[in-house]
Amino acid sequence: MILDTKEVTKRFGGLTAVNQVSMQIEEGEIFGLIGPNGAGKTTFLNSIAGKFPPTSGKVFFLGEETTGLPAEVMCKRGLARTFQIPRPFPKMTVLENVKVGAVFGPSAHGLKSAELRAQEALEFVEFNLPIDTPASQLNAVQLKRIDLARAISCQPKLLLLDELASGLTPGELDSMMALIKRIRDDGVTIIAIEHIMRVIKGICDEVMVIEYGTTIAEGTPDEVLNNPKVIEAYLGEEEVPNAGA
């Protein structure tokens, strides 16, 4: 088991954003995390990845307790992530942005090897602009590609994806789903927050649904998307005929 969270809770003052969420992820899985906007999905990942510590509960990564460790330590241990809204260094080039991830990864060996890994990561995600392009000149889809390249340049064991497919065309969705599967096939376990059910059904082995910070369902995509509680809380009645498609 690569990740095990035990009753992770995160409170902000009187607001409970995540309420006793337990999750077990096996190596090699693509695990989907879905739920309404504001359900606590990103807050849960933030508690795992070290952006802030959980209020209570425990996190175990690669068999060791990592509860409350900061993000830079988690990165060194093999956890990387993308963000719902990529925030690159706008005055730096594409290559320089991706190289940042390689420098801070678990097996960084200086700037030269980091640059080589950054170039390999950009090739892997099929980034199709010159690598000396300033990040400020990229559109939203291109920014998602370099955000993903920066994450995989860390050479992670576990990769957290936060709505990587949002804003993509149907053709771009197909390409992104194939890319995510290739990352998994390279030995990286993935947790993906996603709202597009086509993506969830197309790539995920297991899915968890969170509503108001609490887990309401977990299972295979077909099991979860046909669960009456999930339909009522998240999908809506119009999704029922297509839930198992």
Side-chain angles (χ1 to χ4, degrees):
M1 185 178 299
I2 192 168
L3 180 73
D4 184 12
T5 74
K6 298 183 182 298
E7 298 185 346
V8 166
T9 296
K10 182 62 182 179
R11 298 187 183 93
F12 299 96
L15 172 66
T16 301
V18 177
N19 187 22
Q20 296 186 326
V21 174
S22 297
M23 170 187 285
Q24 291 78 41
I25 309 291
E26 299 293 339
E27 288 192 37
E29 275 193 304
I30 300 178
F31 193 99
L33 191 59
I34 67 174
N37 288 327
K41 304 180 297 296
T42 297
T43 301
F44 177 61
L45 291 195
N46 286 339
S47 298
I48 294 170
K51 183 173 183 179
F52 42 64
T55 304
S56 63
K58 294 184 181 297
V59 179
F60 296 87
F61 177 51
L62 293 172
E64 297 183 356
E65 184 174 355
T66 56
T67 311
L69 291 181
E72 63 271 21
V73 175
M74 293 302 294
C75 181
K76 287 289 187 184
R77 291 194 177 205
L79 186 151
R81 66 178 300 182
T82 67
F83 294 87
Q84 184 177 352
I85 301 174
R87 293 183 176 89
F89 299 101
K91 294 183 179 180
M92 292 168 58
T93 67
V94 167
L95 179 62
E96 289 168 341
N97 268 277
V98 177
K99 191 162 65 172
V100 169
V103 166
F104 285 98
S107 57
H109 298 293
L111 293 179
K112 285 189 176 180
S113 62
E115 182 164 324
L116 177 60
R117 284 203 306 278
Q119 291 172 336
E120 291 171 345
L122 285 164
E123 291 175 6
F124 190 91
V125 303
E126 299 173 347
F127 189 81
N128 57 8
L129 290 179
I131 60 177
D132 60 353
T133 303
S136 59
Q137 296 181 12
L138 303 182
N139 63 31
V141 175
Q142 292 161 346
L143 288 174
K144 285 179 179 288
R145 291 269 174 174
I146 69 164
D147 199 30
L148 181 58
R150 180 166 53 188
I152 65 174
S153 75
C154 297
Q155 298 180 310
K157 299 290 186 183
L158 177 63
L159 177 61
L160 312 182
L161 305 178
D162 197 345
E163 296 193 37
L164 190 65
S166 65
L168 302 184
T169 67
E172 290 166 343
L173 275 181
D174 289 337
S175 175
M176 188 62 76
M177 286 193 290
L179 176 56
I180 292 170
K181 288 179 179 179
R182 282 201 293 126
I183 294 171
R184 188 268 305 276
D185 292 344
D186 264 10
V188 181
T189 304
I190 295 170
I191 302 176
I193 292 177
E194 194 49 70
H195 284 291
I196 302 173
M197 293 304 103
R198 176 183 165 196
V199 175
I200 290 295
K201 290 185 283 187
I203 67 171
C204 292
D205 303 299
E206 294 284 325
V207 181
M208 175 183 285
V209 188
I210 294 179
E211 183 189 26
Y212 298 118
T214 301
T215 303
I216 63 169
E218 184 176 353
T220 67
D222 281 346
E223 289 170 346
V224 166
L225 298 181
N226 285 287
N227 184 307
K229 289 183 179 179
V230 177
I231 293 168
E232 179 181 359
Y234 179 48
L235 297 177
E237 294 297 330
E238 70 275 6
E239 291 285 344
V240 177
N242 298 319

